[in-house]
């Protein structure tokens, strides 16, 4: 498997608290992605990055922000978590952002907002 | 916006039976990718199809890309318990993103 590490793997927190999820890669891939996975919805793109300090929104970006200060790290922040953000979050990487490149996924973070 | 629908949502088969999942896009795709996710795991890339009418095989798995590049299918011959999981298609289009289908959960009874 590609060298992708997500942390934490599990988190339970309360509504209104800030939450930051981390994705770390050792592959030096340019593109990084954050998805959320919910029953009946498959994988939905939250934000992605095409380089250091270069990010763009996906289809479900409301309530989320991201930062990429180094090639290897991509952070996803929920400024004020809500119960609707309870989900499994996956980070993915690819060599290129052109959508014909395979994506490699991390093991996921299971986040519960009470 | 671009949508990718996948059917069925769930399929239960006896070991040894065949299985097929179908993927349909609202727009023409540049390519289609297939991923498998084992229960509790993460999606793993299986294959990519690029050409109209393309057919690729991986052992018991056969992948097809439609002539109009708007649909695709994955067929598994003689399922085994190791095939259990959710199979996702993902379409590449005009945007710089992959659009994932909703997935088909395959259960295989020994």
């Amino acid at each position: 498997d590609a060298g992708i590490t997500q942390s934490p793997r599990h988190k339970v927190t309360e509504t209104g608290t800030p939450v930051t999820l981390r994705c770390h890669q050792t592959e030096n891939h340019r593109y990084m992605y954050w998805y959320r996975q919910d029953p009946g919805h498959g994988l939905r793109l939250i934000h992605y990055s095409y380089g250091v300090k270069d990010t763009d929104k996906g289809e479900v970006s409301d309530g989320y922000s991201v930062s990429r200060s180094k090639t290897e790290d991509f952070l996803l922040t929920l400024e004020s978590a809500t119960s609707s953000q309870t989900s499994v979050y996956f980070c993915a990487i690819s060599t290129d952002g052109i959508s014909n490149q395979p994506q490699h996924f991390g093991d996921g973070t299971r986040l519960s907002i009470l | 916006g671009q949508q990718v629908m996948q059917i069925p949502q769930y399929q239960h088969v006896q070991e040894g039976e065949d299985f097929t999942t179908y993927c349909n896009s609202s727009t023409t795709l540049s390519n289609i990718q297939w991923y498998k996710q084992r229960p509790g795991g993460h999606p793993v890339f299986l294959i990519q199809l690029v050409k109209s009418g393309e057919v690729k095989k991986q052992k018991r798995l056969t992948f097809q890309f439609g002539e109009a590049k708007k649909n695709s299918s994955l067929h598994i011959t003689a399922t085994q318990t190791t095939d259990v999981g959710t199979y996702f298609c993902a379409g590449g289009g005009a945007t710089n993103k992959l659009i994932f289908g909703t997935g088909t959960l395959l259960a295989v009874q020994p």
Side-chain angles (χ1 to χ4, degrees):
Chain A
D1 282 346
I4 309 170
T5 304
Q6 289 186 233
S7 59
R9 293 294 315 282
H10 303 272
K11 187 173 182 65
V12 180
T13 191
E14 295 183 345
T15 300
T17 60
V19 177
T20 296
L21 308 183
R22 179 181 183 237
C23 179
H24 178 78
Q25 60 140 334
T26 59
E27 306 296 318
N28 201 35
H29 283 2
R30 181 181 172 196
Y31 281 77
M32 299 184 75
Y33 310 83
W34 277 108
Y35 291 90
R36 61 177 290 174
Q37 184 173 37
D38 305 288
H41 291 279
L43 290 152
R44 293 182 291 176
L45 182 65
I46 305 171
H47 282 280
Y48 71 100
S49 170
Y50 48 96
V52 174
K53 298 185 180 179
D54 292 323
T55 64
D56 202 354
K57 296 179 179 180
E59 62 180 308
V60 290
S61 59
D62 287 348
Y64 302 94
S65 63
V66 291
S67 65
R68 191 168 178 198
S69 59
K70 297 185 291 185
T71 298
E72 57 266 34
D73 290 324
F74 192 32
L75 304 180
L76 176 70
T77 298
L78 292 65
E79 299 290 348
S80 178
T82 67
S83 58
S84 64
Q85 294 176 310
T86 292
S87 187
V88 179
Y89 291 86
F90 286 101
C91 172
I93 64 174
S94 67
T95 56
D96 202 319
I98 297 172
S99 58
N100 63 356
Q101 296 299 315
Q103 294 186 9
H104 302 280
F105 287 80
D107 289 334
T109 294
R110 187 172 296 275
L111 178 63
S112 296
I113 315 294
L114 305 178
Chain B
Q2 182 182 358
Q3 289 188 321
V4 176
M5 305 301 295
Q6 203 171 340
I7 56 171
Q9 283 189 304
Y10 173 78
Q11 182 91 53
H12 177 260
V13 300
Q14 296 284 333
E15 189 173 22
E17 293 181 337
D18 292 356
F19 160 77
T20 304
T21 174
Y22 300 91
C23 186
N24 292 285
S25 170
S26 57
T27 59
T28 301
L29 302 170
S30 59
N31 73 97
I32 192 91
Q33 299 178 20
W34 285 92
Y35 292 76
K36 177 184 178 181
Q37 184 177 20
R38 295 183 184 275
H42 59 271
V44 175
F45 173 76
L46 294 177
I47 206 163
Q48 175 182 284
L49 304 171
V50 180
K51 299 176 183 177
S52 171
E54 188 170 14
V55 178
K56 287 188 176 180
K57 292 189 176 184
Q58 288 181 348
K59 298 182 180 179
R60 295 176 295 103
L61 278 61
T62 302
F63 304 85
Q64 294 187 350
F65 200 12
E67 294 290 340
K69 301 182 75 173
K70 296 181 72 174
N71 57 73
S72 180
S73 65
L74 158 61
H75 180 81
I76 302 178
T77 302
T79 54
Q80 300 175 358
T81 54
T82 53
D83 295 326
V84 165
T86 301
Y87 292 85
F88 292 98
C89 63
T95 63
N96 200 24
K97 303 156 193 144
L98 276 178
I99 305 297
F100 281 82
T102 49
T104 296
L105 174 60
L106 173 63
V108 180
Q109 184 168 354

